[in-house]
Structures are given as C-alpha cells and as structure tokens.
Amino acid sequence: MADEQGFPPGAVSGPGAFHDGPALRPEAVGREDGGRRRPALSVLDTRTGRSTGIPPGRRMLLRTGVRLAATGGRAGPGDLRAALVGDVLQRVAEIEGLQVLRVLLLPVLDPGRATAFDRAAAALGIHPPVAVVAAGDPADPGEALGGPPDAQLFAAGADRSAAAEGVWLAVGPAGGDPADGLVDGLAAGQVEAAAVRLALLSRPYREPADTGPRVLDEAAATLRDWRRRVTDWAWAPSKPVPDDIRRQAAAAFTGDLDTPAALALLHRVRAANGLEDGARFETFAALDRVLGLELTREVGRH
C-alpha cells in the first residue's frame, strides 16, 4: 500500500519526515536572529562547564576531532564509544544542514589491532572519518580539517595535553578493559552490533556505560520488539510526525546529544494511546536517522 504521495510502505516521505525543513528544530538552521545565525546545536564544554553552541558565528562547516586512548596499544570499548558519539554529533549536525569534517586521532596501533577497530566501528554504523591522524603529530588535527577543530571528543583516558582548540566533550568509559573482547567480537560479527549501539546510546555520553551480557540481551530484545512493530506500522497510511514529538526530539538531539531522552521518547511513542500507526512509523524512522539502529531493516522482508 502506498501513501498519499505515492511512497511504498517503509519509505520516509519528505526531506526528513521529521520536521518541516532541513533542521530538526522547527526553525531551519541558518535562520538569522539580529544578524547572527543561531547555533545549530549546543554541547556541554568539559573545560568550562557551560553549554556552548557549535559551530560559532555564521559558519556552516563543523570541524571535529575524536581522540582515542588505545590503552596498552589496544583500542577498547571506550574508544569505540567516543567514535560513536562523534558519529552521532555528525548525524545531528548534517540533519541541521551543516557540513561536517571529522578526524580520528589515535596512538600508533599494531596493524592488526587497527584493522579490528575499523571493522568494529563499521559494524556499529560509525561513519568513517575524513582522515586518521597520529596523536601527538604537530599538525594534528587542524591540517587534516583545514582549520582548528570546533569540538574535540575524548575517549576515557585519552591524552588531552596537546588539545587546545575547540569545545571539549569528555566521553565516559564503556565496558571493561580493552581486552574484554567487545572490539574483537564486533569485528568478527560475533556480537549484535545494533544492540551494542543501543546500549551505548542509552546512557548520557559523559557517564559510564555498561556493555555486559545482561544489558546487551535487554537491548537486543528491545530492538526485536521495535523492528517488529515498525514493520507492522509501515502498512498504515503515512502520517506526519506530530509537532510536539518533533520538538521533543529536536530538543534532545540538539541539546548536548541527549540520546537517552530520544530513546525514552520512542518508548512513549510506542505505548501512546490514540497515536496513529503511520505517525509512529514516521517517528521511529526519523529518529533512527540519528540513532542508527536500523529500525526499518525488516520492512518489506515479510
């Protein structure tokens, strides 16, 4: 069954099916306010403790760097989490109409360990950076970015001594030590990547996150439930995301990357009385553009 615009079941109609223009918030990014562009999103600067809009001024380019710790020469779950937060920041900024350049800064790794990290990051749906820079390089990361970074994200334990520019985002630890097997399990396809992504996004990025078996089992169960329901809702006539839900999602994503609030919103939408199934589908599909959980993966398969 196609919707009124001719889209097949599962298609997300419109530029975002989530908002009225190119931005998550009701007003489009780039709206002038007294001669100044409103910041696309705000994050908590670890150094100052203040909420700061990025990018500054009227610029439509956001430059970011993600610094890994790679303790003992092995990139671990905390490093993957920092890369994931950088991916979420990029997704939100791009939906807000910004161009994003992101580099990865890491200590020298054994080639085999570097390959495992790359595969694990790809399994988590983390967009690749424009460049990988050796941490401590005198030119890092401005040369690769074409200018100083607007924001730098730090994995737990990452060296901050050479990082001067931009807003700082300190990402909390995840899982156990680097040898706990999560990176290798993801790289080998032995761990459900979407469940790991959901578990990591379920905690504020500044706080520790658990990736133990119980947490991952619960995340996997949630994903099965949501994907089944999204598949059912896809057959309903398409309806727009209600304005109040759109505003709540915008506030969550553009207000310090509050993915737990966005996930809580999905739980409420799933259980809401009186909300049409077509609106539920469009809401889940739209928020998944940032969450990256492949919630529409089963649509059209049954």
Side-chain angles (χ1 to χ4, degrees), residues 170-254:
V171 179
D177 60 50
D180 73 356
L182 183 64
V183 173
D184 289 337
L186 286 166
Q190 298 169 346
V191 178
E192 185 176 353
V196 175
R197 186 170 177 120
L198 176 56
L200 293 175
L201 296 180
S202 296
R203 299 292 301 167
Y205 71 82
R206 297 178 300 277
E207 299 178 5
D210 187 359
T211 55
R214 180 185 61 80
V215 172
L216 295 185
D217 286 346
E218 291 176 355
T222 297
L223 287 173
R224 287 193 297 271
D225 175 67
W226 283 357
R227 287 170 177 166
R228 178 175 60 82
R229 292 178 183 275
V230 165
T231 300
D232 292 340
W233 297 334
W235 291 99
S238 180
K239 300 294 180 181
V241 178
D243 286 345
D244 61 329
I245 294 175
R246 176 168 52 83
R247 284 191 291 268
Q248 290 177 64
F253 286 137
T254 63

Side-chain angles (χ1 to χ4, degrees), residues 5 40 64 79 81 87 111 113 118 134 146 150 156 164 182 205 230 245 248 291 296:
Q5 294 177 294
T64 67
D79 297 304
R81 189 185 189 195
D87 177 70
R113 302 312 310 162
D118 287 346
D150 301 301
L182 183 64
Y205 71 82
V230 165
I245 294 175
Q248 290 177 64
L291 297 172
T296 62

Side-chain angles (χ1 to χ4, degrees), residues 4-231:
E4 294 89 348
Q5 294 177 294
F7 289 88
V12 181
S13 57
F18 184 77
H19 44 73
D20 296 329
L24 285 168
R25 62 182 72 246
E27 66 273 13
V29 70
R31 174 79 60 84
E32 299 297 327
D33 184 8
R36 299 180 61 187
R37 185 181 62 79
R38 296 169 178 166
L41 60 140
S42 63
V43 293
L44 182 67
D45 189 335
T46 300
R47 285 190 290 185
T48 65
R50 298 176 180 174
S51 181
T52 303
I54 56 173
R58 298 163 62 89
R59 184 152 47 84
M60 299 298 290
L61 172 65
L62 177 64
R63 300 183 177 98
T64 67
V66 180
R67 292 180 179 266
L68 307 187
T71 304
R74 296 171 63 94
D79 297 304
L80 275 177
R81 189 185 189 195
L84 174 60
V85 176
D87 177 70
V88 171
L89 175 59
Q90 178 172 339
R91 289 171 183 250
V92 174
E94 288 178 342
I95 290 176
E96 287 290 312
L98 299 174
Q99 179 185 358
V100 181
L101 298 178
R102 175 170 47 89
V103 299
L104 196 65
L105 300 104
L106 72 165
V108 176
L109 300 178
D110 174 88
R113 302 312 310 162
T115 298
F117 181 83
D118 287 346
R119 289 176 177 171
L124 285 179
I126 296 172
H127 292 106
V130 296
V132 177
V133 180
D137 187 314
D140 79 353
E143 184 173 311
L145 291 171
D150 301 301
Q152 299 202 58
L153 296 83
F154 299 88
D159 181 15
R160 306 182 190 183
S161 60
E165 304 95 346
V167 174
W168 285 16
L169 285 75
V171 179
D177 60 50
D180 73 356
L182 183 64
V183 173
D184 289 337
L186 286 166
Q190 298 169 346
V191 178
E192 185 176 353
V196 175
R197 186 170 177 120
L198 176 56
L200 293 175
L201 296 180
S202 296
R203 299 292 301 167
Y205 71 82
R206 297 178 300 277
E207 299 178 5
D210 187 359
T211 55
R214 180 185 61 80
V215 172
L216 295 185
D217 286 346
E218 291 176 355
T222 297
L223 287 173
R224 287 193 297 271
D225 175 67
W226 283 357
R227 287 170 177 166
R228 178 175 60 82
R229 292 178 183 275
V230 165
T231 300

